[in-house]
């Protein structure tokens, strides 16, 4: 099922314009998307605590979580289950956000997951979220949380301007150095691994030490995370997905899991 776009409207025209710029705006991400093994290996070794300290301000993060709880009161307390497109549309309408959810397989192939645009005086009276429904439904739902992350971050930190925040598979490494993108990823991570679950899954002896770190995931933890993602999102890596798509989703799984581990280890969130 797909939502019907607002044909002939300024919103529809803006979506087409932004999609037309995607292959230029996401040049680095598209290169990484075509070689998913490289990003996967780098993220698997990286210490997320060290990276997060440089990019994400703790007090801003707490304010963003507080703003998110105005949408989902139990955020980071209970698991945020995937929603249908109609449910996502209802959430967007309540927040006065334009939502476009349609399949897209442009020059970028399946690299593009979606984008967020803040309201513009010229074209938009409300913010805009685009979701590429050519992706697995679980991935679409996770993308929506990421884009809502941009919306609440804008409310806390100020306007993001007219530029589109593209979300590409292959862009996770770049997100670690971009405060707005990392904040959006943090919300997606907290949605999938609320605090009670995170404490069980990540607070293990291999996490103990004088200095917080989140680098190499042990095999046991990796297996638990993979099972959790399959049960939560219905994504079974390698079973029914094309190889490249499966590897890109796997990279995302590692990224969000290690980000969640870092949040627990560094901030006890």
């Amino acid at each position: 099922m797909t939502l019907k776009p607002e044909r002939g409207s300024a919103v529809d025209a803006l979506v087409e314009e932004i999609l037309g710029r995607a292959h230029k705006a996401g040049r680095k991400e598209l290169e990484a998307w075509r070689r998913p093994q490289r990003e996967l290996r780098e993220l698997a070794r990286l210490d997320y605590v060290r990276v997060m300290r440089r990019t994400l301000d703790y007090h801003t993060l707490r304010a963003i979580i507080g703003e998110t709880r105005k949408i989902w009161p139990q955020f980071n307390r209970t698991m945020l289950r995937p929603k249908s497109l109609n449910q996502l549309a209802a959430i967007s309408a309540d927040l006065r956000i334009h939502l476009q959810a349609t399949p897209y397989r442009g020059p970028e192939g399946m690299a593009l997951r979606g984008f967020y645009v803040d309201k513009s005086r010229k074209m938009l009276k409300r913010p805009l979220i685009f979701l590429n429904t050519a992706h697995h439904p679980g991935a679409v739902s996770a993308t929506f949380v990421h884009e809502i992350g941009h919306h609440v971050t804008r409310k806390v930190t100020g306007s993001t301007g007219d530029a589109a925040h593209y979300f590409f598979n292959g862009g996770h490494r770049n997100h670690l150095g971009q405060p707005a993108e990392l904040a959006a990823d943090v919300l997606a991570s907290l949605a999938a691994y609320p605090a009670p679950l995170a404490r069980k899954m990540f607070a293990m002896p291999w996490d103990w030490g004088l200095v917080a770190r989140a680098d190499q995931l042990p095999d046991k933890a990796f297996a638990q995370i993979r099972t959790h993602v399959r049960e939560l999102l219905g994504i079974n890596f390698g079973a029914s997905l094309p190889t490249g798509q499966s590897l890109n989703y796997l990279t995302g799984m590692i990224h969000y899991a290690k980000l969640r581990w870092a949040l627990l280890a560094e901030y006890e969130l």
Side-chain angles (χ1 to χ4, degrees):
M1 175 181 179
T2 58
L3 299 180
K4 294 181 180 180
E6 301 172 52
R7 294 295 177 193
S9 69
V11 173
D12 194 48
L14 182 59
V15 168
E16 293 300 321
E17 178 188 334
I18 293 171
L19 289 175
R21 297 198 305 261
H23 68 285
K24 293 181 180 179
R27 198 165 291 152
K28 292 182 180 178
E29 290 83 355
L30 290 171
E31 183 179 347
W33 169 72
R34 294 185 182 101
R35 300 178 180 180
Q37 296 94 330
R38 181 180 297 179
E39 188 188 32
L40 193 155
R41 292 191 188 102
E42 183 180 4
L43 294 183
R45 295 191 300 264
L46 195 65
D47 180 359
Y48 269 52
V49 169
R50 292 177 61 189
V51 174
M52 191 174 65
R53 284 174 184 156
R54 295 195 298 265
T55 307
L56 201 58
D57 176 74
Y58 171 73
H59 298 289
T60 301
L61 173 58
R62 293 304 297 253
I64 291 170
I65 293 172
E67 189 67 30
T68 305
R69 283 187 174 146
K70 296 178 182 179
I71 305 171
W72 296 296
Q74 294 303 309
F75 186 75
N76 197 33
R77 294 167 181 154
T78 60
M79 204 176 306
L80 190 59
R81 297 283 179 182
K83 307 293 184 184
S84 69
L85 288 178
N86 284 337
Q87 289 172 315
L88 300 184
I91 294 169
S92 301
D94 287 344
L95 297 173
R96 295 188 54 76
I97 295 173
H98 292 290
L99 178 66
Q100 290 265 11
T102 57
Y104 175 72
R105 297 180 179 89
E108 309 76 33
M110 292 288 286
L112 184 66
R113 295 274 295 270
F115 58 75
Y116 173 84
V117 185
D118 193 9
K119 58 185 177 181
S120 163
R121 291 181 182 177
K122 294 181 180 179
M123 299 197 67
L124 289 176
K125 293 183 179 180
R126 293 182 283 161
L128 166 66
I129 287 176
F130 174 82
L131 301 176
N132 183 1
T133 59
H135 280 279
H136 187 285
V140 172
S141 196
T143 301
F144 180 77
V145 178
H146 173 95
E147 306 306 345
I148 288 293
H150 282 300
H151 184 66
V152 297
T153 298
R154 189 266 303 169
K155 283 197 165 189
V156 170
T157 64
S159 176
T160 59
D162 297 342
H165 289 266
Y166 292 98
F167 180 12
F168 291 99
N169 280 324
H172 301 101
R173 179 64 183 91
N174 290 340
H175 287 186
L176 294 174
Q178 301 168 356
E181 294 296 342
L182 186 56
D185 279 352
V186 162
L187 293 195
S189 178
L190 292 171
Y193 304 93
L197 175 64
R199 291 189 185 103
K200 291 179 182 178
M201 189 173 287
F202 299 107
M204 299 167 64
W206 45 264
D207 187 36
W208 297 349
L210 295 176
V211 180
R213 61 181 176 81
D215 42 29
Q216 191 75 32
L217 285 168
D219 290 343
K220 182 179 179 181
F222 179 83
Q224 287 180 319
I225 292 161
R226 182 176 176 181
T227 299
H228 173 67
V229 169
R230 184 173 65 246
E231 292 175 350
L232 177 64
L233 300 178
I235 297 176
N236 193 6
F237 302 100
S240 58
L241 296 170
T243 301
Q245 189 176 353
S246 186
L247 286 172
N248 274 296
Y249 285 172
L250 180 61
T251 302
M253 183 194 81
I254 290 172
H255 171 70
Y256 288 112
K258 291 186 65 175
L259 186 55
R260 189 63 187 91
W261 176 15
L263 290 164
L264 183 66
E266 176 73 352
Y267 297 145
E268 296 185 358
L269 281 174

